Amino acid sequence: MKALFRIFMACAAIALIGFMFFNTPRENEPLEGPNAKSNIIPKTELKQPEVGAMTRPQSGMSTLIGQGVQAVLKQYGEPARKEPSPFGYEWWIYNASASTFFMVGVQNNIVTQVYIAGEDLDASPFKVGQMRDEIYRMTLIDYEVAANVDENIFVFSMSEEDMQTRLLVKFDGLFAQLYIDRETSELQGIRFTDSETLVLHQPYDMTYQGELVIQTPPSSFLQQEINVASAAQLDDLINVARAHHDLPPLVIDKSIEEVAKMHSEDMKVQNFLGHESPTNGDLKKRLETQGIEYSEANENLATAYFDAIEAMHGWLNSPEHRKVILNASYSKVGSGVFVNYYTQVFIEPSPQTLDSENKDSEEPVYTEPVDVSQ
């Protein structure tokens, strides 16, 4: 009898430990982007790199750069969303499917950039899924790339990390940023952009001669709209990434989005970068405050990326953050952005929550009315 009691107590202890473990949110280190440490250095005399530009593609989506919006509308129709950015241009979002996902930057009715993540799209001379070695063989690549805006000269310098995961390629009157998966060496996405937009983003260390191109800070009201837009873009981008790895999409949950949004704002306002807020506590407490039940939860954090595209690719190339994004056990996500602070919260709902949701989603059963008038 005593032996049975000891076995029972041991099983109970293991169950309690298991419950505490699986209901405790996991944490990884927040990610700081390249914009946190990038150098912008003026020069009185600037020597341009010797490597020239490649011939501009004559076909594919890069040909939209510099054209009016009618060219986009004629070929692709109206976007799913039109959203503001902090750089003065507007993002047009085309998210009908992961295999055809792209975003178009529009300023004054002119296309200034195109971001392509769908493998079925024409990103000539590149292709989503292409191997890095092949790109190196077919492309002129140098550590330094020059861009001209009017009479001003800007030279971008890539780090060793950039050369592996975030290449910058120059064409005649056009640039391409190539986002490469560190783990698989495959091309994840391509951003074609004109020179002025590239300089506005300042994505790499930069030296310049002449007048610096500077963005006009958005109003507080516009910034709120930009925050909402960036969060929606993170939601799109994470499901595109999961689709590329044959994983089901995550459900966007409004209550989880609220947790993520509040934490991004909290980090910016209170000037910290971490999972535990001085006022709102850790992820477990923040989820409890919103009444969110879960079996497992996790959170990705980032700052110092100039937009959602850069933040998502940063996470995907960070092993710990990548594991969270590509975790098949998660089924819900919520994204929140405040200026350049990014938060994504991932949830595996508790069995009770799933049972409740399944009941709510069941089709009601209707029976024929009974005539009792006779």
Side-chain angles (χ1 to χ4, degrees):
M1 194 72 181
K2 289 182 179 179
L4 286 173
F5 180 75
R6 290 194 190 99
I7 293 171
F8 173 79
M9 291 300 294
C11 291
I14 292 170
L16 178 61
I17 293 170
F19 178 84
M20 292 174 64
F21 173 78
F22 286 111
N23 284 271
T24 300
R26 302 179 183 183
E27 294 182 352
N28 47 48
E29 287 297 316
L31 195 63
E32 279 198 274
N35 291 86
K37 301 168 185 172
S38 58
N39 297 308
I40 310 299
I41 303 171
K43 296 276 188 179
T44 53
E45 291 187 13
L46 189 59
K47 183 181 179 182
Q48 295 205 39
E50 295 181 3
V51 175
M54 294 178 62
T55 302
R56 182 167 177 156
Q58 298 300 304
S59 63
M61 298 184 72
S62 70
T63 60
L64 293 171
I65 306 296
Q67 293 197 56
V69 293
Q70 290 304 318
V72 181
L73 294 171
K74 181 179 179 181
Q75 190 166 355
Y76 301 103
E78 287 287 343
R81 302 192 308 271
K82 294 181 180 179
E83 298 172 336
S85 81
F87 299 99
Y89 55 78
E90 186 177 60
W91 276 122
W92 289 17
I93 314 296
Y94 289 83
N95 62 355
S97 72
S99 63
T100 59
F101 181 85
F102 68 100
M103 298 166 57
V104 177
V106 175
Q107 188 164 24
N108 299 323
N109 291 321
I110 301 296
V111 177
T112 62
Q113 64 183 312
V114 177
Y115 171 73
I116 303 165
E119 56 193 15
D120 291 342
L121 297 172
D122 187 352
S124 298
F126 309 108
K127 183 172 177 57
V128 172
Q130 188 176 11
M131 299 304 294
R132 179 173 53 212
D133 288 348
E134 183 182 348
I135 293 170
Y136 266 88
R137 286 196 299 269
M138 59 173 275
T139 310
L140 292 175
I141 295 174
D142 192 14
Y143 284 93
E144 293 189 330
V145 176
N148 295 81
V149 179
D150 298 326
E151 301 300 319
N152 309 301
I153 304 170
F154 304 87
V155 176
F156 297 98
S157 300
M158 284 180 282
S159 65
E160 289 289 345
E161 173 72 12
D162 294 329
M163 296 294 285
Q164 296 299 311
T165 62
R166 210 168 54 116
L167 284 169
L168 180 62
V169 178
K170 183 177 182 179
F171 296 90
D172 291 328
L174 180 73
F175 296 86
Q177 276 187 277
L178 307 180
Y179 298 100
I180 299 171
D181 189 316
R182 182 205 305 273
E183 187 169 308
T184 66
S185 298
E186 293 181 350
L187 185 59
Q188 297 173 322
I190 307 103
R191 188 199 301 251
F192 291 106
T193 177
D194 63 19
S195 57
E196 186 168 352
T197 304
L198 179 67
V199 173
L200 273 173
H201 289 165
Q202 298 177 8
Y204 310 91
D205 284 351
M206 185 178 81
T207 53
Y208 70 96
Q209 180 180 328
E211 188 174 338
L212 186 61
V213 179
I214 301 175
Q215 70 187 78
T216 302
S219 66
S220 58
F221 177 78
L222 180 58
Q223 185 62 60
Q224 291 179 22
E225 293 186 339
I226 294 168
N227 295 339
V228 173
S230 297
Q233 290 160 25
L234 283 181
D235 290 335
D236 284 331
L237 292 164
I238 191 171
N239 280 332
V240 170
R242 285 174 66 89
H244 286 173
H245 290 84
D246 299 320
L247 291 169
L250 299 175
V251 175
I252 312 305
D253 187 286
K254 289 185 178 179
S255 58
I256 303 174
E257 296 252 294
E258 186 64 22
V259 173
K261 182 182 75 171
M262 290 174 63
H263 192 62
S264 286
E265 182 172 358
D266 202 17
M267 287 191 291
K268 173 65 176 177
V269 172
Q270 300 206 58
N271 192 29
F272 74 96
L273 181 62
H275 295 278
E276 185 160 359
S277 162
T279 54
N280 298 318
D282 60 11
L283 178 57
K284 181 178 181 180
K285 183 176 180 181
R286 289 183 275 122
L287 290 170
E288 288 174 351
T289 300
Q290 292 295 320
I292 299 171
E293 297 181 350
Y294 58 92
S295 294
E296 186 177 320
N298 212 324
E299 183 175 59
N300 279 347
L301 305 178
T303 190
Y305 289 95
F306 66 80
D307 67 7
I309 294 169
E310 290 267 323
M312 181 55 66
H313 285 293
W315 279 331
L316 285 168
N317 276 328
S318 168
E320 292 303 314
H321 299 85
R322 179 192 184 90
K323 287 178 185 176
V324 178
I325 291 172
L326 302 182
N327 189 328
S329 67
Y330 296 129
S331 60
K332 292 186 176 183
V333 72
S335 303
V337 178
F338 193 84
V339 191
N340 66 341
Y341 283 81
Y342 302 85
T343 301
Q344 273 195 323
V345 178
F346 301 79
I347 293 294
E348 179 187 352
S350 65
Q352 296 88 343
T353 303
L354 288 174
D355 289 342
S356 175
E357 289 176 351
N358 290 335
K359 288 179 182 178
D360 290 342
S361 63
E362 287 179 357
E363 290 292 329
V365 178
Y366 296 100
T367 58
E368 290 296 323
V370 178
D371 187 355
V372 294
S373 61
Q374 296 181 354

